[in-house]
């Protein structure tokens, strides 16, 4: 299991849905993955993205660390397979999924060990040749963000980790850190995208999306 500090349910609130801040483009997924594929929405929040995947014809299921958000999702999307899992390992068999979405999750897992644990689990449950679509926030260059990074660098021992107004600890990343994390766990990046998204606190940030394939394992 992960440490308490790396719990998936780091924001245990039915009113705060971290999945809301990272929309996905259905066309980008369709270009890479045929309907009917089994897709895991890791950190699914209340399931709105998982429901959209199901509506596109995917065999979608979501996993989330916040019990309150899972309960809300089950009320809003009856029958949608949403699983409450406050830590790792995930309750899935090896190679179960054709693809996984990891949208806005690593922002909530501030430390390297926790991030490696997440990617290790996704490498286990995504089949060789399968897809991983990561969406997260790189280091921002605006004065407000840089001031926050500097203010918390001594406390956390890393540039880019800070506390939000409501006390949550979050992380913005060097893009190469995210690419390296994928490579370490057997995913080869095939496409990168950047755009702007809104945050839970009403601001706008640049976003980096990495689409990667699970490298097939060598034949022994």
């Amino acid at each position: 299991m992960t440490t308490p500090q790396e719990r998936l349910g780091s924001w245990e609130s039915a009113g705060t849905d971290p999945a809301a801040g990272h929309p996905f483009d259905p066309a980008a997924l369709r270009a890479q993955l045929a309907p009917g594929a089994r897709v895991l929405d890791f950190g699914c929040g209340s399931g709105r993205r998982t429901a959209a995947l199901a509506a596109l014809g995917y065999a979608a299921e979501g996993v989330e660390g916040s019990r309150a958000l899972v309960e809300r999702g089950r009320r809003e999307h009856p029958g949608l397979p949403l699983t409450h899992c406050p830590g790792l390992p995930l309750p899935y068999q090896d190679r179960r999924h054709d693809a996984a979405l990891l949208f806005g999750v690593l922002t909530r897992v501030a430390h390297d060990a926790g991030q490696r644990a997440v990617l290790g689990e996704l490498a286990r449950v995504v089949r060789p040749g399968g897809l991983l679509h990561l969406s997260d926030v790189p280091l921002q260059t605006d004065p407000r963000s840089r001031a926050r990074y500097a203010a918390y660098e001594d406390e956390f021992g890393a540039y880019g980790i800070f506390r939000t107004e409501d006390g949550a600890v979050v992380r913005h990343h060097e893009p190469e850190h995210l690419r390296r994390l994928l490579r370490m766990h057997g995913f080869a990046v095939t496409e990168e995208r950047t755009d702007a998204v809104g945050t839970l606190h009403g601001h706008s940030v640049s976003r980096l999306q990495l689409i990667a394939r699970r490298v097939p394992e060598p034949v022994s």
Side-chain angles (χ1 to χ4, degrees):
M1 299 293 288
T2 56
T3 65
Q5 290 79 15
E6 303 295 353
R7 285 168 55 89
L8 301 182
S10 57
W11 291 342
E12 184 68 47
S13 168
T16 302
D17 189 346
H22 282 259
F24 84 102
D25 179 3
L29 195 62
R30 282 177 173 152
Q32 300 273 350
L33 197 66
R38 189 182 296 276
V39 181
L40 176 65
D41 186 3
F42 186 102
C44 65
S46 63
R48 67 181 70 182
R49 186 173 49 240
T50 316
L53 289 166
L56 291 170
Y58 294 106
E61 53 190 339
V63 61
E64 168 61 44
S66 166
R67 183 182 298 277
L69 286 173
V70 170
E71 290 175 352
R72 171 179 154 190
R74 289 170 177 167
R75 291 193 301 270
E76 294 178 351
H77 310 287
L80 190 68
L82 302 177
T83 298
H84 174 237
C85 182
L88 301 178
L90 296 173
Y92 304 115
Q93 295 178 340
D94 295 359
R95 306 182 181 187
R96 172 180 170 84
H97 298 93
D98 299 300
L101 270 59
L102 188 66
F103 275 42
V105 172
L106 297 184
T107 295
R108 296 183 282 156
V109 182
H111 300 290
D112 288 353
Q115 294 189 351
R116 290 193 296 268
V118 169
L119 266 295
E121 273 298 277
L122 292 181
R124 180 181 68 80
V125 302
V126 173
R127 65 168 176 79
L131 181 76
L132 176 61
H133 190 162
L134 182 153
S135 173
D136 224 288
V137 181
L139 290 173
Q140 306 293 292
T141 59
D142 61 282
R144 175 176 175 273
S145 294
R146 287 186 293 178
R148 291 201 295 183
Y149 302 155
Y152 289 98
E153 187 171 8
D154 287 344
E155 177 179 350
F156 293 110
Y159 186 77
I161 303 177
F162 60 95
R163 295 185 191 277
T164 62
E165 293 87 342
D166 55 9
V169 177
V170 300
R171 179 176 182 175
H172 294 170
H173 307 83
E174 287 279 5
E176 181 54 28
H177 167 80
L178 296 175
R179 300 184 193 107
R180 183 169 59 250
L181 193 62
L182 292 175
R183 290 195 302 268
M184 284 174 59
H185 293 89
F187 291 97
V189 176
T190 61
E191 184 178 349
E192 296 192 16
R193 298 175 172 220
T194 57
D195 61 1
V197 296
T199 72
L200 295 172
H201 302 94
H203 301 285
S204 178
V205 294
S206 63
R207 172 175 68 155
L208 175 65
Q209 297 184 71
L210 301 176
I211 299 174
R213 287 281 179 184
R214 181 83 168 90
V215 177
E217 298 170 357
V219 178
S220 58

